[in-house]
Amino acid sequence: MRSVLFASLLGSALSAAAAVPRVSDVAMTSYSPCFITYTLSEAPGIVTFDILTNGVSIGAQNIRNAVGDVNRLVQPGTRTIRWDAHEIWPGHKFRTPCVTARVTVWPENAPPDWLAVNLTQSDCPVTYYASEAALPWGAIQGNSAYKGDILLMRKIHASHVLSFMGSPETEPNRATDGRETRRMCTLTNDYYMAIYPLTFRHYYLLNQGPAATEARLTPVVTLTYNQLRYQTGDAYNNMPIDFPSKTSRTQVGSSSYLKAWRDKTGLVLDLPTSAQWEFACRAGTDTPLYNGDATAANLAAISQSGYNKGYEVGKYACNSWQLYDMIGNCYEWCLDYYEDNIAPDAVTDPLGPTARGDRGRAVRGYHGNDIHKRSAFVSSKRYINDNKGDYTYNGFRLCITLF
């Protein structure tokens, strides 16, 4: 549950129902710049706001230059938002009491739909937005900022949503070894999913900071699972923290890339499980591709044809949840070990086998033969183990599970 409060320009705050965290005492002063003050109490929360005239929003695109205690995690206390109306919304005049500010606070475990990490700043600030229109870097489509400088993640509303994993027996080119067994799946938690596979530009900014000069906007396809989760230096290392042991759902090695990126951003970044990946890829669909049946035209809309070693992200159509390159650009590492001969029983938060066997980790988003580019298709590290990535073109997409 989130707390919302309105204030009239120069007017006193209205009462609001109690919430944890709770916002109160909202007030607006002056015009340009406009200052909105509020009090946050009881717990930290993520604060967003809106400006309304006669009860109608002026549009999130007209307030995205706001700074201060907004669009981020805010600690309790009296806080201030600064919005330069004249700069971004010129030619408009305020008339009381027609203009109001709406301040919304979101609990940390139920944040807004968009999360952004600005990798061009040394402290990698994390900000949150209620809509795409509120993103200060502009719309996503065709915007190269999100392919490197900004790590943008979309909230996937998966909690207790009943959905299918796998494919029906009638689906063309379906795998016959039980890896695509049709079963009902429920995920307990919502999660954030990066809109793109991590690119080389993202990767070098995360590791080297704003001074990084790497410009490639193609997926990083040379890192191994073990380097990501266990140890950065040697690709051929033992795994000190295996997944899915009881203690390792979110635990990573102290010298892993993910540990370094967690320390830098303050976010519990990880790989998605295979179930999380498929749910996000499908985006509510139940067809072979997230844009329909597996026709040549549909595939051409979302993926480059043929065998790919990673091309610039965002060149093809996204799914309805604005996730790009889920199919066809590169394989993407998942947390789980690969599994075949899957039983058709309903599952909740499946984590795959507890031991490697002879197949290694599951990978999704097939990049080879077009007939296998489907939402349900899952492959594995069959011939090369989880320690090797140089010749397999395995990328990855970052995920944050909201426990």
Side-chain angles (χ1 to χ4, degrees), residues 89-144:
W89 202 47
H92 294 82
K93 296 184 180 296
F94 282 13
R95 291 195 174 100
T96 59
C98 299
V99 178
T100 57
R102 179 172 62 192
V103 175
T104 303
V105 59
W106 312 66
E108 290 184 75
N109 65 348
D113 278 354
W114 296 96
L115 179 156
V117 185
N118 189 339
L119 303 180
T120 66
Q121 298 185 29
S122 58
D123 58 346
C124 292
V126 177
T127 47
Y128 300 83
Y129 305 92
S131 67
E132 180 187 358
L135 296 171
W137 306 276
I140 296 169
Q141 187 173 5
N143 191 335
S144 62

Side-chain angles (χ1 to χ4, degrees), residues 113-119 127-129 131-132 134-141 143 145-155 192-198 202 269 321-324 397-400:
D113 278 354
W114 296 96
L115 179 156
V117 185
N118 189 339
L119 303 180
T127 47
Y128 300 83
Y129 305 92
S131 67
E132 180 187 358
L135 296 171
W137 306 276
I140 296 169
Q141 187 173 5
N143 191 335
Y146 304 113
K147 300 179 182 184
D149 292 349
I150 308 298
L151 174 62
L152 185 63
M153 308 184 80
R154 175 68 186 263
K155 184 177 176 182
Y192 281 111
M193 195 77 142
I195 67 167
Y196 296 125
L198 199 81
H202 288 134
L269 298 166
W321 293 346
Q322 291 173 281
L323 303 180
Y324 290 79
R397 190 179 299 257
L398 292 172
C399 176
I400 303 170

Side-chain angles (χ1 to χ4, degrees), residues 206-230:
L206 278 167
N207 292 331
Q208 298 178 358
T213 58
E214 174 62 53
R216 283 176 292 172
L217 305 180
T218 56
V220 176
V221 291
T222 55
L223 293 185
T224 71
Y225 183 100
N226 290 357
Q227 289 174 313
L228 285 168
R229 296 199 89 242
Y230 304 135

